[in-house]
Amino acid sequence: MHELLTPKSGEKHLLLGNEAIVRGALEGNVRFVAAYPGTPSSEIIDRFYQIGPDAGVYVEYSVNEKISVETAGAAAVSGVRSLCSMKHVGLNVAADAFMTLAYVGVKAGMVMVVADDPSLHSSQNEQDNRYYAKMGNVPMLEPTTPEEARKMTLEALKISETFQIPCMLRTTTRVNHCRGPVTLGDLPTDAPSGEFKKDPFNLVVIPMVGRKLRLALLEKVAKLQEEADRSPFNFTEGQGKWGIITSGVSYLYVKDAVRDLGIEDKVKILKLGFTFPHPKGLIRNFLEGLDKLLVVEELEPFLEEAVRMTAQEAGLPVEVAGKGAQLIPRAFELDAVKVKRALQSFFGVSYEPPQVFAVPQLPMRPPNLCPGCPHRATYYSVKKVFGEDAIYPSDIGCYTLGVLPPLKMADFLICMGSGVSSSGGFSKVLDQPVVSFIGDSTFFHSGITGLVNAVSHDHRFLLVIMDNGTTAMTGHQPHPGIELTPQGKITPKVSLENLVRGCGVERVFTVNPLQVQKTQDVLQNLRESMKEPGVSVLISKSPCPLYENRMLHKKTKVVFQVDASSCDLCKRCLTELGCPAFVWERSASGQECIRINESLCSGCSVCSQICKSIKPKRVGEGKGGNE
């Protein structure tokens, strides 16, 4: 039995923040879960996918975040508690559904987990999604620890059901990916069945209905504000004339800083967990009698703005600060040191920072495509045929790493699906070849509409769909076009080639990028055909080797080695292909040479097709073999 299905309440388990959210949802009797994976939220849907059948929970990897909100919303409207999760930029995709679902509301509890990523550990921007809660008038909770994540998931379901509105659980990377003790609660045994009651004048948002629901939503917000004022997740500790208001993981940094600065007897802390609607009454009471107050929060001044407004409305003479020089930075994650310095500066306390012993810097290790990744072979061939003059819009996925040298095959990227749409724009205003890249999962997520648009407007570019058979970057989650399963190869539910042809594309070709010359021959023909208007599509299809090993337990039988006697040290393997299995070093005799690390080589054979000095070697013939 999976750890998250432990039936005994009262036991303590060391859980990841994301696992604690799953446990909280199970204890809250969530029976419908939908998500598109995205760091730092991916473990939520992955764990549900593992335990769903045993837990009696329907689980789906939706093709994008908007779909996940719409499907989970339909379940909640039908009286079945639901959850959807996404990373922060996913809410941009889901915003259309999110904003109006707040109007329509739900019948059973619905939690939307939105995971922000301060410091952009794995994201293209650093947006603060707390403003989405405010814009959508949706209640929001912010946990600090895995234990709070579990409790708040339960509370979010309760709030959602009581006020008949989805509730946002906003997390950050440090909460999602930290591990901490969690005390388990009871698991329910009943599974309520769904029931949909037709009510078009409350559920079908034509303008006359929308106007009525808008007013009802504002009434809910007023009541939710009273709920926030009395929430047990908003509490005060300490006493003094100095105040700190904080939320999320920042609360832990504040606790450390106050203790290390020795100002526990001077500082009063208001820790907020129910952060929207702002608990104005609670904040106003907290501010009374304070001389000065610092708001400690990551990213934007979301709470700071509310505190300043509350102080101004109440006519309180307290000095309020938050973001600013020598105070709380607006960019990137906080930590205990940053918060300590801010408190020291704002409250004017003396502090002698501990001596930091010098340690050698670790060598930089830039992110790179894996050895044997078929995307590298695709980039190599496209660059050989289209050269430096072409424009290369790219998209979100492993293949984004093609931006780095020596490949340098990404010229423009803003969000999921933008590679296809922006290519159309480039093709209409530039007299250069345009070749865009998108992965198979991302194509299903948001590339299809861009392709339909391009076909209908005669945009002229080549779209390369890099089909490695999985959603690789977030952990090998499935999508509608998968062919590899633990049982072997299957017929995909949705054929990429048929789908592309169905969008109206006539020039569609499929290649195996590991066959270098054949791929370049097809690309050369495509380049010639691009003199005519219209979109061409190349499906570059070869499984992710990591996924293939994981699914089929495929073993490497052949690796490659450099024949030093014929190698002229031209370095093309390094400067044009850049596989990380290649090493530039000195031989035992002191001569510079190129070597292939056999433990990294996947045996893809691409390098041997571009250099005659690279030869195959059966694994097990020498040092480094694994058979």
Side-chain angles (χ1 to χ4, degrees):
M1 181 176 65
H2 196 282
E3 178 184 24
L4 293 173
L5 296 178
T6 302
K8 293 181 181 176
S9 62
E11 286 188 0
K12 279 193 175 181
H13 287 238
L14 200 60
L15 298 182
L16 208 61
N18 281 338
E19 293 171 336
I21 291 170
V22 173
R23 177 68 190 197
L26 291 172
E27 292 174 9
N29 214 3
V30 162
R31 297 288 170 171
F32 189 106
V33 175
Y36 184 82
T39 306
S41 73
S42 298
E43 292 85 1
I44 298 172
I45 184 68
D46 288 348
R47 294 295 178 275
F48 268 118
Y49 193 67
Q50 290 172 339
I51 65 175
D54 293 332
V57 178
Y58 171 79
V59 182
E60 73 170 38
Y61 285 101
S62 304
V63 294
N64 65 37
E65 296 83 355
K66 179 173 180 286
I67 302 296
S68 74
V69 171
E70 290 165 344
T71 53
V77 168
S78 303
V80 175
R81 284 189 165 187
S82 67
L83 179 147
C84 61
S85 63
M86 62 203 71
K87 68 181 296 175
H88 63 300
V89 290
L91 188 50
N92 299 335
V93 180
D96 202 6
F98 169 75
M99 294 296 294
T100 306
L101 186 60
Y103 280 48
V104 171
V106 293
K107 306 301 180 191
M110 176 180 171
V111 180
M112 291 183 60
V113 183
V114 180
D116 283 6
D117 187 19
S119 285
L120 301 92
H121 293 287
S122 184
S123 306
Q124 65 269 45
N125 72 18
E126 197 183 38
Q127 70 190 43
D128 190 332
N129 276 358
R130 294 179 297 175
Y131 287 99
Y132 263 118
K134 185 176 181 180
M135 183 168 62
N137 289 297
V138 166
M140 174 176 63
L141 303 179
E142 290 187 71
T144 295
T145 62
E147 176 63 69
E148 259 197 357
R150 182 193 70 85
K151 289 180 178 177
M152 285 191 180
T153 305
L154 279 164
E155 182 68 12
L157 288 164
K158 178 183 165 188
I159 292 171
S160 170
E161 203 155 286
T162 301
F163 293 90
Q164 299 198 336
I165 186 172
C167 185
M168 181 190 293
L169 186 71
R170 185 258 188 177
T171 58
T172 55
T173 306
R174 296 297 164 189
V175 177
N176 295 102
H177 286 170
C178 82
R179 197 170 281 276
V182 175
T183 303
L184 305 186
D186 292 324
L187 288 179
T189 54
D190 63 312
S193 56
E195 180 185 10
F196 180 77
K197 294 181 179 176
K198 294 187 178 186
D199 184 13
F201 292 103
N202 282 304
L203 298 178
V204 181
V205 192
I206 56 178
M208 60 174 284
V209 175
R211 290 186 200 105
K212 181 184 68 172
L213 296 180
R214 166 73 171 156
L215 297 175
L217 178 61
L218 295 178
E219 288 180 13
K220 285 183 186 178
V221 173
K223 292 177 182 173
L224 282 162
Q225 188 167 320
E226 297 171 6
E227 186 76 6
D229 274 333
R230 55 177 178 261
S231 170
F233 293 113
N234 299 332
F235 59 85
T236 302
E237 59 187 28
Q239 56 184 355
K241 290 287 187 181
W242 298 343
I244 297 173
I245 294 180
T246 186
S247 69
V249 73
S250 302
Y251 168 67
L252 301 180
Y253 304 143
V254 167
K255 294 275 284 183
D256 279 352
V258 168
R259 182 197 60 212
D260 291 352
L261 292 172
I263 55 175
E264 295 102 319
D265 59 339
K266 299 183 175 66
V267 176
K268 196 164 67 164
I269 301 171
L270 174 57
K271 193 271 190 186
L272 297 178
F274 193 151
T275 48
F276 189 82
H278 304 300
K280 280 190 172 182
L282 188 65
I283 293 172
R284 185 176 58 249
N285 294 338
F286 182 78
L287 293 177
E288 288 179 350
L290 292 180
D291 291 337
K292 54 198 310 187
L293 176 129
L294 184 68
V295 181
V296 180
E297 59 188 327
E298 287 182 325
L299 302 182
E300 303 297 331
F302 180 78
L303 295 176
E304 183 185 337
E305 290 168 355
V307 171
R308 287 182 184 278
M309 186 181 298
T310 303
Q312 192 274 335
E313 288 175 349
L316 296 171
V318 58
E319 176 188 355
V320 177
K323 304 295 174 186
Q326 307 302 315
L327 296 177
I328 304 298
R330 194 170 172 181
F332 310 139
E333 289 184 305
L334 295 181
D335 56 39
V337 174
K338 291 177 183 176
V339 172
K340 212 174 298 180
R341 286 175 179 158
L343 266 59
Q344 176 193 14
S345 172
F346 183 65
F347 293 121
V349 296
S350 60
Y351 171 64
E352 194 68 33
Q355 184 180 0
V356 178
F357 295 99
V359 293
Q361 289 285 325
L362 293 172
M364 293 293 291
R365 195 187 67 155
N368 202 346
L369 294 169
C370 301
C373 175
H375 299 339
R376 175 180 288 99
T378 303
Y379 283 139
Y380 176 82
S381 289
V382 172
K383 196 168 188 178
K384 279 293 176 187
V385 173
F386 286 88
E388 300 283 353
D389 188 47
I391 307 296
Y392 298 115
S394 190
D395 230 294
I396 304 287
C398 294
Y399 46 94
T400 313
L401 300 174
V403 70
L404 298 172
L407 299 169
K408 296 192 288 187
M409 293 293 281
D411 293 325
F412 186 77
L413 165 68
I414 52 176
C415 63
M416 299 276 277
S418 68
V420 186
S421 312
S422 62
S423 294
F426 287 126
S427 74
K428 285 293 184 183
V429 299
L430 299 176
D431 189 21
Q432 292 168 261
V434 179
V435 182
S436 64
F437 302 99
I438 191 168
D440 43 350
S441 183
T442 310
F443 181 71
F444 284 117
H445 179 283
S446 51
I448 299 171
T449 47
L451 182 60
V452 170
N453 183 67
V455 170
S456 67
H457 293 94
D458 287 329
H459 294 167
R460 188 197 312 246
F461 63 91
L462 169 61
L463 172 64
V464 180
I465 302 177
M466 304 169 92
D467 180 7
N468 63 4
T470 184
T471 312
M473 180 166 260
T474 49
H476 294 142
Q477 291 86 2
H479 62 63
I482 60 163
E483 292 183 357
L484 288 184
T485 70
Q487 290 74 38
K489 275 204 163 191
I490 61 170
T491 301
K493 295 285 181 65
V494 179
S495 159
L496 263 181
E497 187 164 329
N498 290 345
L499 179 58
V500 169
R501 291 189 186 279
C503 290
V505 181
E506 295 179 354
R507 296 192 294 266
V508 185
F509 298 89
T510 299
V511 296
N512 178 353
L514 302 186
Q515 297 173 347
V516 177
Q517 190 55 55
K518 286 184 179 177
T519 299
Q520 292 182 13
D521 290 344
V522 173
L523 283 165
Q524 194 60 52
N525 290 334
L526 279 168
R527 177 163 190 162
E528 292 299 316
S529 67
M530 286 172 64
K531 294 173 184 174
E532 301 296 323
V535 183
S536 304
V537 171
L538 179 72
I539 300 174
S540 187
K541 184 174 182 176
S542 182
C544 165
L546 299 181
Y547 181 63
E548 193 174 33
N549 293 342
R550 180 177 165 187
M551 287 292 106
L552 303 180
H553 307 292
K554 183 181 178 184
K555 293 184 178 179
T556 302
K557 295 180 179 176
V558 175
V559 295
F560 287 81
Q561 58 187 343
V562 177
D563 179 4
S565 65
S566 62
C567 176
D568 61 1
L569 298 180
C570 72
K571 301 183 186 177
R572 283 179 51 223
C573 52
L574 300 175
T575 59
E576 296 184 7
L577 192 62
C579 175
F582 281 84
V583 180
W584 174 264
E585 63 180 15
R586 288 186 183 279
S587 66
S589 61
Q591 298 295 314
E592 289 184 327
C593 65
I594 296 171
R595 189 174 65 81
I596 295 176
N597 185 333
E598 292 181 8
S599 63
L600 294 178
C601 180
S602 70
C604 72
S605 84
V606 170
C607 58
S608 68
Q609 296 173 60
I610 66 174
C611 177
K612 295 186 181 306
S613 294
I614 297 174
K615 311 285 187 185
K617 171 189 172 185
R618 286 196 61 79
V619 173
E621 290 178 354
K623 187 178 178 182
N626 58 6
E627 281 187 345

